[in-house]
mmCIF file of all heavy atoms in Angstrom:
data_model
loop_
_atom_site.group_PDB
_atom_site.id
_atom_site.type_symbol
_atom_site.label_atom_id
_atom_site.label_comp_id
_atom_site.label_asym_id
_atom_site.label_seq_id
_atom_site.Cartn_x
_atom_site.Cartn_y
_atom_site.Cartn_z
ATOM 1 N N VAL A 1 35.324 29.976 -0.753
ATOM 2 C CA VAL A 1 36.305 28.943 -0.489
ATOM 3 C C VAL A 1 36.620 28.244 -1.823
ATOM 4 O O VAL A 1 35.749 27.771 -2.510
ATOM 5 C CB VAL A 1 35.773 27.913 0.505
ATOM 6 C CG1 VAL A 1 36.763 26.757 0.713
ATOM 7 C CG2 VAL A 1 35.434 28.565 1.846
ATOM 8 N N ILE A 2 37.905 28.247 -2.161
ATOM 9 C CA ILE A 2 38.375 27.607 -3.383
ATOM 10 C C ILE A 2 39.383 26.524 -3.054
ATOM 11 O O ILE A 2 40.361 26.779 -2.334
ATOM 12 C CB ILE A 2 39.064 28.640 -4.319
ATOM 13 C CG1 ILE A 2 38.161 29.812 -4.634
ATOM 14 C CG2 ILE A 2 39.582 27.988 -5.598
ATOM 15 C CD1 ILE A 2 36.973 29.476 -5.506
ATOM 16 N N ILE A 3 39.131 25.320 -3.557
ATOM 17 C CA ILE A 3 40.127 24.245 -3.420
ATOM 18 C C ILE A 3 41.090 24.394 -4.592
ATOM 19 O O ILE A 3 40.727 24.184 -5.738
ATOM 20 C CB ILE A 3 39.468 22.856 -3.446
ATOM 21 C CG1 ILE A 3 38.335 22.740 -2.438
ATOM 22 C CG2 ILE A 3 40.511 21.760 -3.249
ATOM 23 C CD1 ILE A 3 38.714 23.012 -1.004
ATOM 24 N N GLN A 4 42.318 24.778 -4.282
ATOM 25 C CA GLN A 4 43.347 25.030 -5.304
ATOM 26 C C GLN A 4 43.923 23.731 -5.845
ATOM 27 O O GLN A 4 44.154 23.586 -7.045
ATOM 28 C CB GLN A 4 44.444 25.920 -4.783
ATOM 29 C CG GLN A 4 44.014 27.307 -4.382
ATOM 30 C CD GLN A 4 43.751 28.162 -5.604
ATOM 31 O OE1 GLN A 4 44.542 28.204 -6.538
ATOM 32 N NE2 GLN A 4 42.610 28.840 -5.608
ATOM 33 N N SER A 5 44.202 22.804 -4.921
ATOM 34 C CA SER A 5 44.765 21.513 -5.341
ATOM 35 C C SER A 5 44.545 20.508 -4.202
ATOM 36 O O SER A 5 44.234 20.874 -3.071
ATOM 37 C CB SER A 5 46.251 21.632 -5.673
ATOM 38 O OG SER A 5 46.987 22.001 -4.522
ATOM 39 N N ARG A 6 44.724 19.233 -4.548
ATOM 40 C CA ARG A 6 44.587 18.170 -3.577
ATOM 41 C C ARG A 6 45.691 17.125 -3.853
ATOM 42 O O ARG A 6 46.084 16.925 -5.011
ATOM 43 C CB ARG A 6 43.232 17.450 -3.706
ATOM 44 C CG ARG A 6 42.081 18.372 -3.425
ATOM 45 C CD ARG A 6 40.770 17.676 -3.437
ATOM 46 N NE ARG A 6 40.529 16.980 -4.693
ATOM 47 C CZ ARG A 6 39.454 16.274 -4.986
ATOM 48 N NH1 ARG A 6 38.498 16.162 -4.099
ATOM 49 N NH2 ARG A 6 39.318 15.683 -6.130
ATOM 50 N N SER A 7 46.181 16.484 -2.785
ATOM 51 C CA SER A 7 47.195 15.458 -2.949
ATOM 52 C C SER A 7 46.521 14.237 -3.630
ATOM 53 O O SER A 7 45.315 14.110 -3.653
ATOM 54 C CB SER A 7 47.806 15.059 -1.604
ATOM 55 O OG SER A 7 46.808 14.545 -0.739
ATOM 56 N N HIS A 8 47.367 13.356 -4.177
ATOM 57 C CA HIS A 8 46.839 12.188 -4.892
ATOM 58 C C HIS A 8 45.957 11.327 -3.993
ATOM 59 O O HIS A 8 44.965 10.744 -4.470
ATOM 60 C CB HIS A 8 47.966 11.346 -5.478
ATOM 61 C CG HIS A 8 48.623 11.983 -6.644
ATOM 62 N ND1 HIS A 8 48.014 12.121 -7.879
ATOM 63 C CD2 HIS A 8 49.846 12.559 -6.773
ATOM 64 C CE1 HIS A 8 48.837 12.732 -8.727
ATOM 65 N NE2 HIS A 8 49.945 13.025 -8.071
ATOM 66 N N ASP A 9 46.297 11.227 -2.717
ATOM 67 C CA ASP A 9 45.457 10.427 -1.813
ATOM 68 C C ASP A 9 44.362 11.229 -1.132
ATOM 69 O O ASP A 9 43.637 10.711 -0.297
ATOM 70 C CB ASP A 9 46.346 9.750 -0.752
ATOM 71 C CG ASP A 9 46.995 10.753 0.198
ATOM 72 O OD1 ASP A 9 46.848 11.961 0.003
ATOM 73 O OD2 ASP A 9 47.680 10.274 1.127
ATOM 74 N N ASP A 10 44.189 12.474 -1.539
ATOM 75 C CA ASP A 10 43.130 13.380 -1.094
ATOM 76 C C ASP A 10 43.240 13.746 0.404
ATOM 77 O O ASP A 10 42.292 14.199 1.012
ATOM 78 C CB ASP A 10 41.748 12.799 -1.372
ATOM 79 C CG ASP A 10 40.660 13.857 -1.441
ATOM 80 O OD1 ASP A 10 40.932 14.971 -1.895
ATOM 81 O OD2 ASP A 10 39.537 13.573 -1.001
ATOM 82 N N SER A 11 44.417 13.546 0.993
ATOM 83 C CA SER A 11 44.575 13.830 2.430
ATOM 84 C C SER A 11 44.916 15.278 2.718
ATOM 85 O O SER A 11 44.571 15.808 3.785
ATOM 86 C CB SER A 11 45.604 12.908 3.057
ATOM 87 O OG SER A 11 46.883 13.144 2.497
ATOM 88 N N ILE A 12 45.603 15.953 1.806
ATOM 89 C CA ILE A 12 46.015 17.347 1.987
ATOM 90 C C ILE A 12 45.477 18.176 0.825
ATOM 91 O O ILE A 12 45.648 17.852 -0.329
ATOM 92 C CB ILE A 12 47.545 17.463 2.028
ATOM 93 C CG1 ILE A 12 48.153 16.601 3.128
ATOM 94 C CG2 ILE A 12 47.959 18.959 2.206
ATOM 95 C CD1 ILE A 12 47.768 17.015 4.528
ATOM 96 N N TRP A 13 44.823 19.256 1.198
ATOM 97 C CA TRP A 13 44.300 20.221 0.211
ATOM 98 C C TRP A 13 44.993 21.538 0.392
ATOM 99 O O TRP A 13 45.368 21.921 1.472
ATOM 100 C CB TRP A 13 42.816 20.446 0.415
ATOM 101 C CG TRP A 13 41.904 19.275 0.348
ATOM 102 C CD1 TRP A 13 42.233 17.978 0.094
ATOM 103 C CD2 TRP A 13 40.495 19.293 0.549
ATOM 104 N NE1 TRP A 13 41.111 17.178 0.113
ATOM 105 C CE2 TRP A 13 40.019 17.974 0.410
ATOM 106 C CE3 TRP A 13 39.576 20.285 0.862
ATOM 107 C CZ2 TRP A 13 38.680 17.632 0.532
ATOM 108 C CZ3 TRP A 13 38.251 19.941 0.983
ATOM 109 C CH2 TRP A 13 37.804 18.631 0.827
ATOM 110 N N THR A 14 45.134 22.260 -0.727
ATOM 111 C CA THR A 14 45.547 23.662 -0.672
ATOM 112 C C THR A 14 44.265 24.457 -0.922
ATOM 113 O O THR A 14 43.577 24.246 -1.915
ATOM 114 C CB THR A 14 46.587 23.993 -1.747
ATOM 115 O OG1 THR A 14 47.708 23.104 -1.579
ATOM 116 C CG2 THR A 14 47.061 25.421 -1.636
ATOM 117 N N VAL A 15 43.970 25.374 0.018
ATOM 118 C CA VAL A 15 42.707 26.093 0.002
ATOM 119 C C VAL A 15 42.975 27.588 -0.016
ATOM 120 O O VAL A 15 43.889 28.080 0.647
ATOM 121 C CB VAL A 15 41.888 25.743 1.267
ATOM 122 C CG1 VAL A 15 40.589 26.521 1.323
ATOM 123 C CG2 VAL A 15 41.625 24.260 1.345
ATOM 124 N N ALA A 16 42.162 28.331 -0.788
ATOM 125 C CA ALA A 16 42.213 29.777 -0.804
ATOM 126 C C ALA A 16 40.859 30.312 -0.345
ATOM 127 O O ALA A 16 39.818 29.790 -0.703
ATOM 128 C CB ALA A 16 42.521 30.287 -2.202
ATOM 129 N N ILE A 17 40.907 31.353 0.462
ATOM 130 C CA ILE A 17 39.687 32.065 0.892
ATOM 131 C C ILE A 17 39.735 33.431 0.214
ATOM 132 O O ILE A 17 40.637 34.230 0.472
ATOM 133 C CB ILE A 17 39.633 32.242 2.437
ATOM 134 C CG1 ILE A 17 39.815 30.886 3.157
ATOM 135 C CG2 ILE A 17 38.342 32.942 2.816
ATOM 136 C CD1 ILE A 17 38.692 29.913 2.957
ATOM 137 N N LEU A 18 38.755 33.695 -0.671
ATOM 138 C CA LEU A 18 38.717 34.930 -1.422
ATOM 139 C C LEU A 18 37.651 35.857 -0.836
ATOM 140 O O LEU A 18 36.478 35.705 -1.068
ATOM 141 C CB LEU A 18 38.357 34.652 -2.875
ATOM 142 C CG LEU A 18 39.430 34.059 -3.768
ATOM 143 C CD1 LEU A 18 39.727 32.630 -3.425
ATOM 144 C CD2 LEU A 18 39.036 34.181 -5.198
ATOM 145 N N PRO A 19 38.099 36.841 -0.027
ATOM 146 C CA PRO A 19 37.142 37.761 0.566
ATOM 147 C C PRO A 19 36.661 38.814 -0.440
ATOM 148 O O PRO A 19 37.314 39.023 -1.483
ATOM 149 C CB PRO A 19 37.925 38.393 1.701
ATOM 150 C CG PRO A 19 39.332 38.391 1.224
ATOM 151 C CD PRO A 19 39.448 37.138 0.394
ATOM 152 N N ASP A 20 35.565 39.476 -0.120
ATOM 153 C CA ASP A 20 35.085 40.578 -0.960
ATOM 154 C C ASP A 20 36.076 41.743 -0.922
ATOM 155 O O ASP A 20 36.238 42.442 -1.921
ATOM 156 C CB ASP A 20 33.715 41.064 -0.500
ATOM 157 C CG ASP A 20 32.632 40.042 -0.772
ATOM 158 O OD1 ASP A 20 32.820 39.196 -1.652
ATOM 159 O OD2 ASP A 20 31.589 40.130 -0.113
ATOM 160 N N ALA A 21 36.686 41.979 0.228
ATOM 161 C CA ALA A 21 37.643 43.072 0.363
ATOM 162 C C ALA A 21 38.816 42.557 1.180
ATOM 163 O O ALA A 21 38.630 41.998 2.264
ATOM 164 C CB ALA A 21 36.992 44.265 1.073
ATOM 165 N N GLY A 22 39.984 42.693 0.640
ATOM 166 C CA GLY A 22 41.179 42.246 1.353
ATOM 167 C C GLY A 22 41.926 41.170 0.575
ATOM 168 O O GLY A 22 41.480 40.710 -0.457
ATOM 169 N N PRO A 23 43.084 40.818 1.089
ATOM 170 C CA PRO A 23 43.932 39.843 0.357
ATOM 171 C C PRO A 23 43.383 38.414 0.480
ATOM 172 O O PRO A 23 42.637 38.075 1.399
ATOM 173 C CB PRO A 23 45.264 39.963 1.076
ATOM 174 C CG PRO A 23 44.936 40.446 2.449
ATOM 175 C CD PRO A 23 43.719 41.325 2.286
ATOM 176 N N VAL A 24 43.763 37.600 -0.468
ATOM 177 C CA VAL A 24 43.431 36.177 -0.459
ATOM 178 C C VAL A 24 44.292 35.478 0.566
ATOM 179 O O VAL A 24 45.478 35.722 0.691
ATOM 180 C CB VAL A 24 43.694 35.561 -1.886
ATOM 181 C CG1 VAL A 24 43.371 34.082 -1.868
ATOM 182 C CG2 VAL A 24 42.904 36.292 -2.943
ATOM 183 N N ARG A 25 43.636 34.610 1.377
ATOM 184 C CA ARG A 25 44.340 33.879 2.427
ATOM 185 C C ARG A 25 44.466 32.425 1.967
ATOM 186 O O ARG A 25 43.508 31.810 1.533
ATOM 187 C CB ARG A 25 43.585 33.952 3.732
ATOM 188 C CG ARG A 25 43.471 35.412 4.216
ATOM 189 C CD ARG A 25 42.674 35.543 5.486
ATOM 190 N NE ARG A 25 43.246 34.865 6.628
ATOM 191 C CZ ARG A 25 44.236 35.348 7.395
ATOM 192 N NH1 ARG A 25 44.745 36.527 7.102
ATOM 193 N NH2 ARG A 25 44.701 34.660 8.399
ATOM 194 N N TYR A 26 45.661 31.864 2.103
ATOM 195 C CA TYR A 26 45.951 30.497 1.683
ATOM 196 C C TYR A 26 46.218 29.610 2.901
ATOM 197 O O TYR A 26 46.851 30.025 3.860
ATOM 198 C CB TYR A 26 47.174 30.457 0.771
ATOM 199 C CG TYR A 26 46.897 31.086 -0.575
ATOM 200 C CD1 TYR A 26 47.133 32.421 -0.800
ATOM 201 C CD2 TYR A 26 46.367 30.322 -1.622
ATOM 202 C CE1 TYR A 26 46.867 33.009 -2.033
ATOM 203 C CE2 TYR A 26 46.091 30.896 -2.852
ATOM 204 C CZ TYR A 26 46.358 32.232 -3.049
ATOM 205 O OH TYR A 26 46.082 32.798 -4.274
ATOM 206 N N TYR A 27 45.728 28.377 2.813
ATOM 207 C CA TYR A 27 45.837 27.398 3.878
ATOM 208 C C TYR A 27 46.166 26.038 3.293
ATOM 209 O O TYR A 27 45.829 25.767 2.133
ATOM 210 C CB TYR A 27 44.509 27.240 4.613
ATOM 211 C CG TYR A 27 44.020 28.478 5.356
ATOM 212 C CD1 TYR A 27 43.325 29.445 4.685
ATOM 213 C CD2 TYR A 27 44.273 28.615 6.701
ATOM 214 C CE1 TYR A 27 42.869 30.572 5.366
ATOM 215 C CE2 TYR A 27 43.799 29.736 7.389
ATOM 216 C CZ TYR A 27 43.106 30.721 6.709
ATOM 217 O OH TYR A 27 42.686 31.828 7.374
#
C-alpha cells in the first residue's frame, strides 16, 4: 500500500496498491 498524495486537510488520499503480479490499482 502506497500513499501517493494527500489533500492539505488530510481528508482525501490517493492510494496505490502494488501487487507482486498484475497491474497497479489506484484508489
